[in-house]
Amino acid sequence: MTKQAKEYVSEVRAEILDEVDVVVAGGGTAGVVAALAAARNGADVMLIERGACLGGMLTTGNAGLTMYTKFSGPPELRIKDQEDLKNNPEDIQIVGGIVKEITEKLLKSGIGIGNEGTFGRYVFTSPEEFKCMLFQMMTEAGVKLRLHSMVTDVIREDDCIKGIILESKSGRQMIPAKQFIDATGDGDVAFRAGAEYTVGLTEQDVCAKHGKIGEMQNVGVMFRVGNVDLEQVFAYLEENPDNYIAQHFAQFTLAEAKERFQNNEMATINILTDGTPGRFQVYNLPTPGVVTLCCPQIKGIDGCNVEHITRSEIIMADMLERWMKNIKKNPGFESSFLVQVPEMGIRETRHIQGDYVLGLMDIYEQKDFEDCIGFGSHPIDTRPRPEWLNDPETSYPPRWYFQIPFRTLIVKDIDNLLVAGRCLSATHEAFGCIRPTVQCMIIGEAAGTAAAMCVNDNKSIRQLEYKSLRNTLIKQGVKC
Ligand SMILES: Cc1cc2nc3c(=O)[nH]c(=O)nc-3n(C[C@H](O)[C@H](O)[C@H](O)COP(=O)(O)OP(=O)(O)OC[C@H]3O[C@@H](n4cnc5c(N)ncnc54)[C@H](O)[C@@H]3O)c2cc1C
């Protein structure tokens, strides 16, 4: 560490810990995969998480692993896709590497349930067991863990980060490292390092004039409810089929959905109900009698403003009380109760500006990038969206998918910091396609692999050759 950095550390009175090769800040969806990838590529890795467990939105937020395959398009092709998923998965899957490994582990162990074939479009899990599985994977890979530790500051000298500052029950500590990965969701490390960022809708967005500049996606929660009598739920829906609505991206008939719930397979249904919330979505889980319900949402909350988040938690508690009162009036839900309500789920905050900003047209037109590190296939879900994208069934070509360029991970003006997860460099519209869990995990694998390669070859991020990164990713089974 240089003299300047040491002076700063003594000024803020932090204990200096041993240097590691790679620090990953945030042990969530992208962070766990980044840490695994970096450690497996030979780096000494420290993963820092503010909570008590790993997985972020994947475990504590009850989100599923979604968007494994190219986006089907019209309903007829969906049926063909299901066959190809079983018989020719290579033609349709967009996911390999660590994401595939984690998914297979989840399905094999029964911690997760998924769609047909080796992979599905959706995998939903039992989060408590998933947390345990992630700890085991970190131990096997030799990742060092710091839980209950919040990254609160960074030490930056010129274009390099020298270390990050943590706050925990042990007080203030500083960890020096060669490479840093910001997987905090909100881009906290990049923000503290003074990186440029945008928030929500900006002038760069194609439909900027139709929305409010700064507008972000709603916050919300996917909560779990126990003691649900699913037999009664389906008996009621069979008698009242008008109260059943298929989920847009998993269009099962009522009979198919019933069979899937009975066979402990992944399925989701929407139920129309009187009063608040009018309609609610039910996800099947591997835990009998326990389902995930969603999605109460709140508009206009900034997830990086602590007053906003506090207010949103209080509003949500009230909303859920009202939701549950009415949900309990539905057959099968009479004796149900709240099992778990996660902390507020934040969909969108800072978009850290990288060497490349991924835009709507890059995605929609399936642009080729020589620094492609993985694929995505989630249709644009940010609102407002252009007129011509309003109907995903007709506006996307069949088997549509897009490329994610490595430069969207490289933080502008900083030589040893990568972002992974939802804070990567994209416009508000493009972000809507990048934010799904599987895409965040794909980005995590690229970030971890790249950081370790830089350490091994003593290079800065911008000196890393795209070709060599892609070759390594492909060897790891990543599709890119
Ligand atoms: C309500 C809701 C439902 C969703 N449902 C789905 C779904 O079903 N399918 C899907 O594909 N996507 C879904 N998404 C989107 C998806 O879950 C997220 O976009 C994605 O998981 C983000 O991954 P991430 O790694 O960037 O962040 P996270 O998974 O949130 O991980 C960030 C981690 O960093 C930690 N952290 C944050 N700040 C600090 C700090 N300063 N110091 C230390 N640690 C820190 C956090 O505790 C967390 O563990 C949903 C999102 C929401 C809000």
Side-chain angles (χ1 to χ4, degrees):
M1 212 183 4
T2 61
K3 191 159 171 265
Q4 201 184 333
K6 270 196 189 132
E7 273 163 10
Y8 175 83
V9 172
S10 68
E11 208 176 283
V12 296
R13 276 183 275 149
E15 174 196 3
I16 303 175
L17 304 180
D18 285 343
E19 176 167 311
V20 293
D21 294 332
V22 178
V23 158
V24 180
T29 314
V32 289
V33 181
L36 280 175
R40 288 178 183 178
N41 279 285
D44 180 19
V45 182
M46 175 75 85
L47 176 60
I48 297 156
E49 166 55 44
R50 77 183 156 101
C53 64
L54 300 176
M57 275 302 297
L58 273 182
T59 53
T60 56
N62 295 325
L65 286 87
T66 45
M67 305 319 284
Y68 280 95
T69 52
K70 293 173 188 170
F71 183 72
S72 305
E76 319 81 74
L77 198 58
R78 283 195 195 133
I79 296 159
K80 167 94 175 69
D81 281 357
Q82 302 304 352
E83 282 164 22
D84 281 355
L85 208 52
K86 276 191 203 135
N87 304 325
N88 308 304
E90 291 305 312
D91 285 354
I92 176 162
Q93 278 176 16
I94 55 161
V95 172
I98 295 177
V99 191
K100 184 171 172 179
E101 177 191 333
I102 290 182
T103 312
E104 272 173 359
K105 252 175 128 71
L106 287 167
L107 295 178
K108 224 185 241 170
S109 61
I111 296 172
I113 49 175
N115 268 11
E116 52 272 271
T118 4
F119 280 104
R121 283 201 184 81
Y122 286 77
V123 173
F124 274 75
T125 64
S126 164
E128 299 312 320
E129 289 159 301
F130 192 5
K131 288 176 190 173
C132 183
M133 183 184 120
L134 290 173
F135 279 144
Q136 286 163 359
M137 290 182 82
M138 295 303 143
T139 308
E140 279 161 22
V143 173
K144 295 172 180 164
L145 280 186
R146 264 311 138 105
L147 300 177
H148 298 283
S149 301
M150 179 97 177
V151 176
T152 54
D153 209 350
V154 306
I155 300 162
R156 176 175 171 176
E157 278 181 19
D158 305 322
D159 296 341
C160 265
I161 294 181
K162 297 288 171 189
I164 56 170
I165 306 275
L166 313 179
E167 298 275 353
S168 70
K169 289 281 182 186
S170 299
R172 192 171 293 154
Q173 296 175 317
M174 186 283 219
I175 307 183
K178 297 185 182 102
Q179 294 291 335
F180 296 84
I181 297 173
D182 184 345
T184 59
D186 301 313
D188 285 1
V189 178
F191 170 70
R192 296 282 176 180
E196 271 179 46
Y197 65 94
T198 60
V199 175
L201 186 76
T202 71
E203 300 292 350
Q204 291 168 295
D205 287 292
V206 173
C207 53
K209 64 176 186 299
H210 300 299
K212 200 171 138 211
I213 296 299
E215 186 178 337
M216 286 177 263
Q217 289 206 7
N218 296 345
V219 300
V221 292
M222 295 177 86
F223 59 101
R224 276 186 294 153
V225 169
N227 206 25
V228 177
D229 184 338
L230 287 165
E231 254 179 55
Q232 258 200 60
V233 171
F234 280 104
Y236 164 75
L237 289 175
E238 278 166 346
E239 274 171 35
N240 301 274
D242 289 348
N243 284 11
Y244 168 75
I245 306 175
Q247 172 67 2
H248 191 59
F249 294 125
Q251 293 208 337
F252 303 121
T253 62
L254 181 57
E256 283 166 345
K258 182 181 173 184
E259 201 183 323
R260 293 179 150 272
F261 270 77
Q262 280 170 342
N263 295 342
N264 209 19
E265 290 168 5
M266 181 49 216
T268 166
I269 57 173
N270 286 288
I271 302 177
L272 286 181
T273 175
D274 290 334
T276 312
R279 153 193 185 152
F280 61 100
Q281 197 180 349
V282 184
Y283 287 90
N284 197 19
L285 292 179
T287 40
V290 180
V291 292
T292 292
L293 300 190
C294 86
C295 279
Q297 311 215 23
I298 308 174
K299 265 190 184 164
I301 297 292
D302 175 357
C304 285
N305 177 324
V306 74
E307 280 171 34
H308 279 213
I309 316 171
T310 306
R311 183 155 31 99
S312 73
E313 299 285 7
I314 297 163
I315 296 171
M316 184 56 72
D318 185 57
M319 260 172 114
L320 285 181
E321 194 187 15
R322 283 182 290 125
W323 271 51
M324 283 309 290
K325 237 182 225 163
N326 275 324
I327 283 173
K328 276 162 171 275
K329 291 179 191 159
N330 286 268
F333 287 92
E334 294 94 336
S335 306
S336 65
F337 57 89
L338 281 176
V339 169
Q340 182 242 3
V341 180
E343 71 174 78
M344 188 54 61
I346 310 293
R347 287 193 171 79
E348 179 179 17
T349 49
R350 303 178 187 116
H351 304 297
I352 304 301
Q353 299 297 284
D355 283 2
Y356 190 83
V357 181
L358 195 67
L360 176 76
M361 297 315 287
D362 294 332
I363 287 194
Y364 185 63
E365 291 176 348
Q366 302 173 283
K367 189 167 170 185
D368 285 330
F369 292 103
E370 59 166 337
D371 58 334
C372 167
I373 48 90
F375 301 133
S377 64
H378 194 273
I380 292 147
D381 73 349
T382 33
R383 285 168 185 79
R385 60 184 164 198
E387 278 297 299
W388 39 271
L389 283 176
N390 272 345
D391 180 5
E393 269 168 28
T394 53
S395 38
Y396 295 89
R399 295 205 165 162
W400 170 86
Y401 66 108
F402 61 87
Q403 299 191 358
I404 307 168
F406 181 54
R407 283 163 298 156
T408 55
L409 281 62
I410 304 178
V411 179
K412 216 169 146 185
D413 300 328
I414 305 183
D415 271 345
N416 62 344
L417 175 62
L418 292 168
V419 282
R422 66 175 170 84
C423 55
L424 112 165
S425 178
T427 61
H428 167 74
E429 287 160 338
F431 153 84
C433 309
I434 286 292
R435 71 180 189 93
T437 48
V438 164
Q439 268 69 64
C440 289
M441 294 165 89
I442 291 170
I443 295 162
E445 179 153 4
T449 306
M453 287 174 73
C454 288
V455 171
N456 295 341
D457 301 344
N458 201 16
K459 282 184 173 167
S460 78
I461 292 291
R462 288 181 182 80
Q463 287 167 338
L464 191 65
E465 285 167 19
Y466 302 148
K467 208 170 157 192
S468 125
L469 173 61
R470 280 185 74 175
N471 285 343
T472 308
L473 289 172
I474 289 166
K475 268 191 214 142
Q476 289 168 195
V478 172
K479 291 180 184 287
C480 59

